[in-house]
Amino acid sequence: MKIKNLLIGSGLVYATGLALYSVFIVKKGKEFEAGLDKSTGSLDDAVTYGGKSKSFSGQTMRDLRLGAFCGGMQLDFSDVITEKSDYRMDVKIVSGGFNIIVPDNFKLKIVDHCQFGGIADNTVCKDPENSVLLSVFADIKCGGLNFENADLENTATDQCCSC
């Protein structure tokens, strides 16, 4: 009888914890989304409990804010139009992640605060003399952020399929 009561109590504590964490995530996601630029041409975006994949081919690059809350996104900036020599990207992640594909003329400068997560910069700037600086400011709690070039993605696929 004591074991049954212990298991029921543990289950209730676990379910309550999950419910409270879900409320916390939704609240953080809504607060973040309220501060996003919703104007035409804005690249700001967020995901809460889900996933997205977006391509910005032919769009003009702008400073942007991204958020992932128990979800993830793949964003392809490989064919964006750049009109400036530097851009800013603010990223907030709570139990989620991003895979961001950038052009091979982008040079990244990353400033981060990671707790139980991390950042991978798998990019190669092929023309450092004429590069576009992307300053990334990331706040990550239980998640990840990956940057890569489009050609690296294709190379990895080619290598995989050649076996």
Side-chain angles (χ1 to χ4, degrees), residues 21 68 70 93-97 114-118 140-144:
Y21 187 70
C70 277
I93 298 173
V94 179
S95 297
C114 296
Q115 297 173 331
F116 299 108
I140 301 173
K141 292 175 181 61
C142 275

Side-chain angles (χ1 to χ4, degrees), residues 57-68:
S57 182
Q59 290 186 1
T60 303
M61 184 68 180
R62 294 174 58 172
D63 295 339
L64 68 148
R65 295 183 65 217
L66 301 171

Side-chain angles (χ1 to χ4, degrees), residues 6-161:
L6 180 64
L7 289 174
I8 291 172
S10 298
L12 289 173
V13 168
Y14 179 72
T16 302
L18 281 177
L20 290 174
Y21 187 70
S22 294
V23 168
F24 167 78
I25 291 295
V26 169
K27 181 180 177 201
K28 288 290 182 188
K30 295 289 183 195
E31 288 172 357
F32 185 84
E33 287 177 11
L36 294 180
D37 179 6
K38 295 179 175 70
S39 66
T40 304
S42 172
L43 304 178
D44 290 4
D45 206 350
V47 63
T48 303
Y49 286 112
K52 293 181 184 179
S53 180
K54 290 180 134 183
S55 176
F56 298 97
S57 182
Q59 290 186 1
T60 303
M61 184 68 180
R62 294 174 58 172
D63 295 339
L64 68 148
R65 295 183 65 217
L66 301 171
F69 305 90
C70 277
M73 273 194 262
Q74 175 165 310
L75 303 171
D76 186 353
F77 293 99
S78 61
D79 293 321
V80 294
I81 299 166
T82 55
E83 296 175 345
K84 302 188 314 182
S85 61
D86 61 85
Y87 294 93
R88 178 184 177 110
M89 178 184 288
D90 293 312
V91 181
K92 177 134 178 115
I93 298 173
V94 179
S95 297
F98 286 102
N99 185 49
I100 300 174
I101 303 168
V102 297
D104 59 11
N105 68 330
F106 273 41
K107 183 177 180 179
L108 300 181
K109 176 186 171 195
I110 299 173
V111 177
D112 63 277
H113 179 252
C114 296
Q115 297 173 331
F116 299 108
I119 299 174
D121 179 2
N122 296 309
T123 62
V124 176
C125 183
K126 292 189 177 178
D127 188 9
E129 300 295 322
N130 299 308
S131 64
V132 174
L133 178 64
L134 180 61
S135 298
V136 179
F137 299 91
D139 182 15
I140 301 173
K141 292 175 181 61
C142 275
L145 179 57
N146 179 55
F147 289 95
E148 61 187 41
N149 298 113
D151 58 345
L152 290 179
E153 181 181 272
N154 294 336
T155 302
T157 304
D158 293 343
Q159 289 174 354
C160 176
C161 297

